[in-house]
Amino acid sequence: MNKLIKPYKAKSNELHDESLYTDYANSHSNPTNENEVALIIKECKKINEKITVCGSLTGLNGAGVPAKGHSLCTKYLNKMSYNFDSNTIEVGTGATFEDIQNFVTLKSKGTRELPIYPTERTATIGGAISFNSSGLRSYRLGKINEYVEKITLCNQDGEFVSLSKTDKGFNDFFGSEGMLGILTSITLKTIKKINFVWGIMFFFESDIDSIKFVNLIDKYKEIQTIEYIDKNCFNLCEKYKSTISTIESIPKIQDHIATGIYIEIYNENEEQIEQLCEILMEEAILCNSDPDLAWAMSQEEIRKLQDYRHAIAECLNIEVAKYNNIDSRIKFVNIDIKWETKSRIEIINYYRSLFNNTPLSYYIFGHIGNNSPYVTILTKTIDEYILANKIVEICYKSAIIEKDIIFDEFGIGKLNKNIFCNSEKIESLNEKMKAKHKYDANGLFNPLNMFSSN
């Protein structure tokens, strides 16, 4: 056997991602360069061992968890180089967003940045492409696919293929969940870094007021982030605040507050940001928000607000893990839809209606500017977990009928494949299966992602 492939003893290596989807690998590898990836693929194909690719395992759907077979970890495929002529960066697929941002800042002397990065800074660029992820600034700046200029992948024969933005098939790999080949390097374009950024959290006593505010501020192009956070999320963060260092200094949110709207303002002129903030305070008053309660932080402190937004997901992970320890069948459950047929208030009202007369705890937060806030459902028993998944499937079927986009950012993986196959239109399923057959006819890569067998 290839020395790069290291076998495991039976069930000695339990792997899971943040969804707590769990399985085992027969063997594993940690390639450090593209040639090693090719050798591993050729060996696995020769011995008929399926390959599952994983990065930092920050996913929420089990896509990077091996279905037995071989687990190929990309964490050492993290080399980076900067092209000063084109202001692009070539990165290995295992490079994290935090490392990429730091590298771009260093090489450009603080003048350039990669504008799209998820709130989970340890996520890898390969994982983000596999789900076509977005981030806090996607409200104005779009998803990761808009900043990828070129990809290089190793195919089922261990051969390298490079595709640029203008090549046919380039877009097939965004949202493909690693099922078409193993990405090895990505070329990303950077943008000019905006000199000043402020973050503000506004608080409201009702959904109606908070969404009215979002609709009022939609016109200000300097606002590149608009996030919704409900009361349940605030209460959860308060519960765990003393155990999470990044948010322990955040003051307690008053009990009468029902929702928060977090925004980020980007401008080359700090005085113009100050002027816009004054306007926003007036807009907030029109929506019954007390501007004296708002959290406003400038350049040096904005990380605190971003950490608070990220802490919501961190607290939810802690809660899911608590109940998973009691019953391992309980996993992460969420709703991930980009609504193109509902208004923002209709989205929130619809989500709340799903849980009327149920015992389920739910948390709504995320990209309200994009009409795509998330819902995480916390289940304490297996009966609640089954009920939650039934509600999710009903929701997705409704969205498909209305021609909205399901699994917009978090992906499908293994955890959500049954809901996906039961909800998505047959035409869309056939398209994905055709792509799988085109690039990986033997079903070598990431088995059991999206489909029951692939």
Side-chain angles (χ1 to χ4, degrees):
M1 181 179 284
N2 190 314
K3 291 183 179 180
L4 296 168
I5 297 175
K6 304 183 186 305
Y8 281 120
K9 293 180 180 179
K11 293 194 174 182
S12 66
N13 186 47
E14 180 181 274
L15 294 174
H16 65 80
D17 65 3
E18 291 188 2
S19 73
L20 298 182
Y21 183 93
T22 305
D23 210 330
Y24 302 88
N26 297 330
S27 61
H28 70 107
S29 61
N30 294 281
T32 59
N33 57 57
E34 292 183 335
N35 289 334
E36 289 184 354
V37 172
L39 290 172
I40 292 165
I41 290 174
K42 289 176 181 178
E43 180 66 19
C44 285
K45 184 178 180 180
K46 178 181 174 183
I47 62 176
N48 195 29
E49 186 85 305
K50 309 291 186 183
I51 302 172
T52 299
V53 185
C54 72
S56 53
L57 288 172
T58 60
L60 296 171
N61 56 40
V65 178
K68 310 302 185 287
H70 180 75
S71 176
L72 186 153
C73 181
T74 63
K75 66 180 179 180
Y76 296 117
L77 298 172
N78 58 3
K79 292 183 179 179
M80 295 180 279
S81 62
Y82 194 89
N83 187 316
F84 292 93
D85 294 329
S86 61
N87 285 310
T88 58
I89 177 173
E90 183 178 356
V91 300
T93 187
T96 68
F97 279 86
E98 186 167 45
D99 288 343
I100 293 171
Q101 293 290 6
N102 290 339
F103 187 77
V104 171
T105 298
L106 175 67
K107 290 298 182 179
S108 70
K109 297 181 179 179
T111 63
R112 309 287 298 185
E113 65 178 333
L114 177 67
I116 300 300
Y117 54 96
T119 51
E120 180 52 76
R121 297 179 178 92
T122 61
T124 64
I125 183 66
I129 289 174
S130 72
F131 304 131
N132 197 22
S133 298
S134 54
L136 285 176
R137 295 169 69 185
S138 60
Y139 170 56
R140 295 291 186 206
L141 302 182
K143 291 192 161 198
I144 190 67
N145 62 313
E146 298 182 38
Y147 299 89
V148 178
E149 298 290 291
K150 180 182 175 182
I151 59 174
T152 298
L153 63 124
C154 201
N155 67 18
Q156 61 181 341
D157 297 317
E159 299 169 344
F160 292 101
V161 178
S162 293
L163 297 170
S164 63
K165 228 178 180 72
T166 57
D167 290 330
K168 185 177 179 181
F170 177 80
N171 291 320
D172 291 343
F173 291 86
F174 295 93
S176 66
E177 303 196 1
M179 298 196 304
L180 310 183
I182 299 180
L183 292 176
T184 54
S185 69
I186 300 104
T187 301
L188 302 159
K189 69 178 179 181
T190 64
I191 65 169
K192 185 178 182 296
K193 187 176 177 64
I194 298 175
N195 284 329
F196 298 101
V197 53
W198 283 26
I200 310 176
M201 181 89 81
F202 291 93
F203 298 102
F204 302 86
E205 295 183 28
S206 72
D207 285 325
I208 292 175
D209 286 337
S210 64
I211 299 302
K212 178 182 176 184
F213 178 69
V214 171
N215 293 337
L216 279 175
I217 67 174
D218 199 32
K219 58 187 177 241
Y220 301 113
K221 303 303 181 186
E222 300 94 333
I223 298 174
Q224 295 187 357
T225 296
I226 305 183
E227 298 282 292
Y228 173 95
I229 303 173
D230 76 356
K231 186 181 186 70
N232 292 339
C233 294
F234 288 142
N235 291 340
L236 189 63
C237 285
E238 186 64 27
K239 177 180 178 179
Y240 287 105
K241 190 166 65 175
S242 63
T243 65
I244 301 176
S245 61
T246 55
I247 64 169
E248 61 183 352
S249 63
I250 295 288
K252 185 180 186 301
I253 295 162
Q254 296 184 10
D255 290 338
H256 69 283
I257 297 300
T259 64
I261 299 297
Y262 171 60
I263 68 168
E264 289 181 0
I265 307 168
Y266 290 75
N267 199 298
E268 293 291 353
N269 186 310
E270 195 163 28
E271 288 183 6
Q272 290 180 10
I273 292 182
E274 293 175 359
Q275 292 169 6
L276 178 54
C277 284
E278 291 178 7
I279 295 171
L280 293 175
M281 293 296 178
E282 294 173 2
E283 302 273 34
I285 291 171
L286 291 176
C287 301
N288 302 311
S289 177
D290 183 351
D292 291 335
L293 296 179
W295 299 344
M297 297 186 184
S298 58
Q299 198 88 7
E300 296 76 18
E301 295 186 303
I302 192 172
R303 181 72 176 254
K304 291 180 181 179
L305 288 174
Q306 293 174 344
D307 285 342
Y308 189 87
R309 164 63 175 77
H310 178 254
I312 298 168
E314 193 173 347
C315 292
L316 286 166
N317 289 343
I318 294 171
E319 284 284 290
V320 175
K322 180 170 66 176
Y323 294 106
N324 176 267
N325 284 335
I326 298 170
D327 188 333
S328 62
R329 294 173 295 176
I330 295 172
K331 313 292 185 188
F332 199 94
V333 184
N334 72 330
I335 301 173
D336 172 25
I337 300 174
K338 182 174 177 59
W339 294 96
E340 299 182 334
T341 61
K342 292 185 188 297
S343 69
R344 289 166 176 142
I345 191 63
E346 287 173 338
I347 295 168
I348 301 300
N349 287 341
Y350 172 70
Y351 280 151
R352 296 207 186 284
S353 73
L354 291 173
F355 302 99
N356 288 341
N357 303 315
T358 77
L360 300 175
S361 301
Y362 65 96
Y363 304 81
I364 307 175
F365 66 102
H367 307 329
I368 193 65
N370 300 358
N371 281 29
S372 55
Y374 321 122
V375 183
T376 295
I377 309 169
L378 184 63
T379 62
K380 303 176 180 67
T381 66
I382 189 59
D383 288 339
E384 286 190 4
Y385 180 72
I386 292 168
L387 173 61
N389 278 284
K390 286 180 179 177
I391 289 173
V392 172
E393 186 169 329
I394 290 169
C395 182
Y396 282 166
K397 285 180 177 178
S398 174
I400 289 295
I401 290 170
E402 296 181 28
K403 299 184 179 179
D404 297 298
I405 301 170
I406 65 173
F407 298 106
D408 179 53
E409 184 173 4
F410 291 158
I412 300 155
K414 302 174 183 70
L415 187 63
N416 300 312
K417 64 184 179 183
N418 290 336
I419 291 176
F420 172 66
C421 291
N422 290 337
S423 305
E424 186 60 273
K425 289 183 178 179
I426 190 67
E427 296 86 357
S428 298
L429 293 172
N430 285 338
E431 284 181 13
K432 290 188 177 293
M433 293 182 78
K434 284 179 182 177
K436 177 67 175 173
H437 184 74
K438 173 183 175 182
Y439 293 101
D440 184 24
N442 297 319
L444 182 64
F445 300 121
N446 282 30
L448 303 187
N449 281 2
M450 292 195 197
F451 310 113
S452 295
S453 61
N454 51 16

